[in-house]
Amino acid sequence: LSIGTYATVKYSKLMGDALRSYQHLRRFKFLFYRYTPPRYWFGICVIFRGLFVCLAPVAFRDYAALQVLAVSSILLMFAAVQLYTRAWRGAFANMLDASIVMLL
């Protein structure tokens, strides 16, 4: 999580230097290559989504209804952000991601 945040913040600062930017992109391609260039920050959103989904059952350990509500709310919020920004490189990937999250 911290490495992903560092890479995302550093990405915007390196855009002027072509060589360092290329090295940075190759090093952290798992964060940036799936998404359109203006939406370079969406990789960190996906990492945070996974963290929040994993923490919901821990936070509401004794309350199953709250767990379901929290996970559903987290997924719905991130699906709304994903549909608004259309961060994936392809239109099919955008719709597929949103559809899968809505079905969960």
Side-chain angles (χ1 to χ4, degrees):
L1 184 63
S2 62
I3 292 173
T5 304
Y6 166 77
T8 303
V9 170
K10 192 80 169 168
Y11 177 79
S12 62
K13 294 180 182 177
L14 289 175
M15 291 312 295
D17 186 6
L19 178 61
R20 290 180 63 201
S21 176
Y22 175 74
Q23 291 171 345
H24 185 76
L25 282 174
R26 285 195 35 93
R27 187 175 297 137
F28 297 106
K29 67 181 176 182
F30 68 95
L31 276 175
F32 302 119
Y33 281 180
R34 297 182 211 168
Y35 312 107
T36 58
R39 309 291 190 263
Y40 67 90
W41 48 267
F42 196 73
I44 200 71
C45 289
V46 172
I47 292 173
F48 273 107
R49 177 179 69 182
L51 175 70
F52 292 148
V53 166
C54 290
L55 285 179
V58 174
F60 306 111
R61 185 181 61 194
D62 296 330
Y63 305 102
L66 281 178
Q67 289 178 10
V68 171
L69 183 64
V71 170
S72 298
S73 299
I74 291 165
L75 291 176
L76 186 62
M77 181 182 68
F78 279 99
V81 169
Q82 187 270 326
L83 281 172
Y84 180 73
T85 61
R86 298 202 184 271
W88 292 95
R89 285 195 181 261
F92 181 71
N94 281 311
M95 294 309 294
L96 186 65
D97 183 35
S99 299
I100 289 172
V101 169
M102 296 293 183
L103 289 173
L104 289 175

